[in-house]
Every structure is written in C-alpha cells, then in structure tokens.
Amino acid sequence: MEVLVLPTPADVARRAAEVVLEGLAAARRAAPVVGLATGSSPLGLYAELAAAVRAGRLDLSGATGFALDEYVGLPPGHPQSYREVLLREVCGPLGLSAERLHVPDGSGRTEAELVEGAARYERLIAESGGVDVQILGIGANGHLGFNEPGSALSSRTRVKRLSDRTRHDNARFFDGIEDVPTHCVTQGLGTVLDARQLVLVASGTAKAAAVAAALEGPLSASCPASVLQWHADATAVLDEDAAALLRNRDYYDASAAGL
Ligand code: GLP
C-alpha cells in the first residue's frame, strides 16, 4: 500500500490523476476498464483527467466504465442517481461513451429483480476482463462504495440498506433526508478487491478518523475501506487534513520520496 500525503485537495486531485494515468498506461489495453466512484471526493480528480484528455495525454473513447454503486428506487434520469452523476462528471468531460458506462441496476421493483440485476452486473464486469484501475472515495464511517460497516470482506454486488450516517451525509445532495433512498446496489468488497489497482482519494478533517482506521487499523468489516490493506496494488492519496490521524506518516513520506 502506498500512502501519498499532499498539502491541499487540489494537489490530491493532480497527484491522483497521475497515479490513474500511470495505472491505465500500465494496463496496456487499447480499451481499458475504469472503476468509477461517485461522491464529492473524486470530482477534482475527474477534472484533472478531463484536462489530460484535452491535452491529448489520455484517450478514454474506447474505454469502459463501471460505477461502484447506485441508489435503489430513484426515477430514471434523477439528477442524483449515480448514472446521471457519472454521465455529467465523467462521460461528457472525459469522453467516455455513455453506452460503455455501466452502473448497478437500482430500478428493480422486487428484491428478486434487484438480486438478478446485481448478478448481471458481476457478469458484465467479468466479461469486460475486469477493472484495471478502480477510483475510490471513503465514507466518514469507513464505507467503500456503499459497503457499510459490517459488510463481508468477500462480498459481491448486492442490495444493501444504507446506514443512517450515510443517508444524513448524502442528504446535502437531495432536498431533505426523507428524499434520500434507504437502499442501494453496491459492488461488494470482494468485487472491489478484484480490480487490478485501487486509487483512493480523501480530503478534509471529516475523513481523518476513517482514513486512519482504513489504513492503519485492523482489517475489519467494521471499517470496510480497510480492505485496501489486503490489495497488492493500492494507493491512498490524501490531503494533510485527511492524513492528520495517521501514525506512520514519516514512513509514508520517506517511501514517497523514492528509493
Ligand atoms: C458516497 C459514495 C461513496 C463515496 C462516499 C464519500 O455515498 N457511495 O462511493 O466514496 O460516499 O462521499 P464524499 O466523497 O462525498 O465524501
């Protein structure tokens, strides 16, 4: 695991974009597969990647994108559905084809339909050859995607209830807490771990405790993001505030300085 600590969120976005660009180049696939996170954390990173596309350093026109998660029950085209968010923030600016953007299906009306949609999503990822670079944020409660504390470390894409904490955190994107869906379909932690490379971005003091638990606490379902420790190629790119509670900071900085 590599931990890179930068002064500001803008530096985090720039550095994380470099890590993603290197990862996609190393994938050596004409049509790479990118794992896409939502939330506010990766927005700066997406803006940097869009700049790289404009500068001719990145071409995602043949790439495929897989979202981490989706709310259950939002009407098609709802501006806060993760499909719409990714169409806005990624497909347009980065030139990723909307036809090759895949998002878990939260439109099922029965549990059986949602379960079938989740299984279909797992098959789609496998048929694509797997995710080359997975972009990740982290919830203030340590969630990854929408894998809330208690999620099985080997879980696959499935329907889950959102925690009260997550619903309150995400209420800012809706008119009020009562509009935030209660359920989601999320890639499992096992699904995330199958990606060849993980790149987590986090900024701000609100994430400091979750980041410390994820990177330096025990590998535990109580902190789903701690699965980063299990992955052979994971990088966390943090600003000073998000890194404030890390104990091994000196080591990370020395390692980041190179051999
Ligand atoms: C959201 C998403 C996660 C995201 C996290 C943090 O609800 N499902 O994938 O990483 O919560 O969000 P933010 O970056 O806005 O703090």
Side-chain angles (χ1 to χ4, degrees):
M1 192 172 60
E2 207 173 349
V3 181
L4 307 174
V5 184
L6 288 307
T8 70
D11 298 318
V12 168
R14 272 192 293 275
R15 188 60 192 274
E18 292 306 321
V19 176
V20 170
L21 286 172
E22 283 164 23
L24 291 176
R28 295 178 183 281
R29 286 216 270 178
V33 179
V34 194
L36 300 165
T38 45
S40 45
S41 304
L43 293 179
L45 162 57
Y46 291 145
E48 289 293 333
L49 292 176
V53 169
R54 289 195 299 276
R57 296 180 60 209
L58 175 64
D59 178 7
L60 291 181
S61 58
T64 297
F66 283 97
L68 277 176
D69 45 17
E70 179 58 291
Y71 292 111
V72 168
L74 290 182
H78 188 290
Q80 291 309 327
S81 77
Y82 285 163
R83 174 174 291 283
E84 289 300 316
V85 170
L86 290 171
L87 284 170
R88 263 194 323 267
E89 303 291 347
V90 174
C91 286
L94 276 71
L96 182 85
S97 146
E99 286 75 50
R100 281 193 296 277
L101 169 68
H102 302 289
V103 182
D105 185 359
S107 71
R109 297 200 166 269
T110 62
E111 192 176 343
E113 281 177 16
L114 290 165
V115 167
E116 172 48 32
R120 215 168 35 237
Y121 200 66
E122 285 282 331
R123 284 197 298 274
L124 262 183
I125 296 175
E127 284 162 17
S128 77
V131 172
D132 292 307
V133 180
Q134 174 65 58
I135 295 167
L136 296 165
I138 181 171
N141 63 357
H143 77 214
L144 204 62
F146 269 142
N147 291 280
E148 301 283 22
S151 293
L153 301 179
S154 61
S155 48
R156 311 304 304 187
T157 304
R158 69 219 185 287
V159 190
K160 288 297 281 183
R161 172 177 284 280
L162 295 173
S163 70
D164 288 346
R165 172 78 189 266
T166 296
R167 291 188 67 239
H168 276 96
D169 284 351
N170 287 5
R172 67 189 193 279
F173 296 113
F174 294 83
D175 288 340
I177 180 74
E178 60 287 342
D179 290 341
V180 184
T182 55
H183 288 77
C184 64
V185 180
T186 182
Q187 283 190 29
L189 295 172
T191 320
V192 171
L193 284 172
D194 283 349
R196 293 180 187 89
Q197 183 180 357
L198 305 182
V199 182
L200 179 128
V201 285
S203 312
T205 48
K207 299 292 173 69
V211 164
L215 304 186
E216 295 182 341
L219 174 62
S220 163
S222 297
C223 180
S226 65
V227 293
L228 253 79
Q229 298 175 38
W230 190 251
H231 197 281
D233 189 352
T235 304
V237 191
L238 315 169
D239 76 348
E240 288 286 352
D241 287 341
L245 299 178
L246 293 175
R247 292 186 308 267
N248 295 327
R249 177 66 190 278
D250 291 352
Y251 180 76
Y252 305 139
D253 289 352
S255 301
L259 295 176

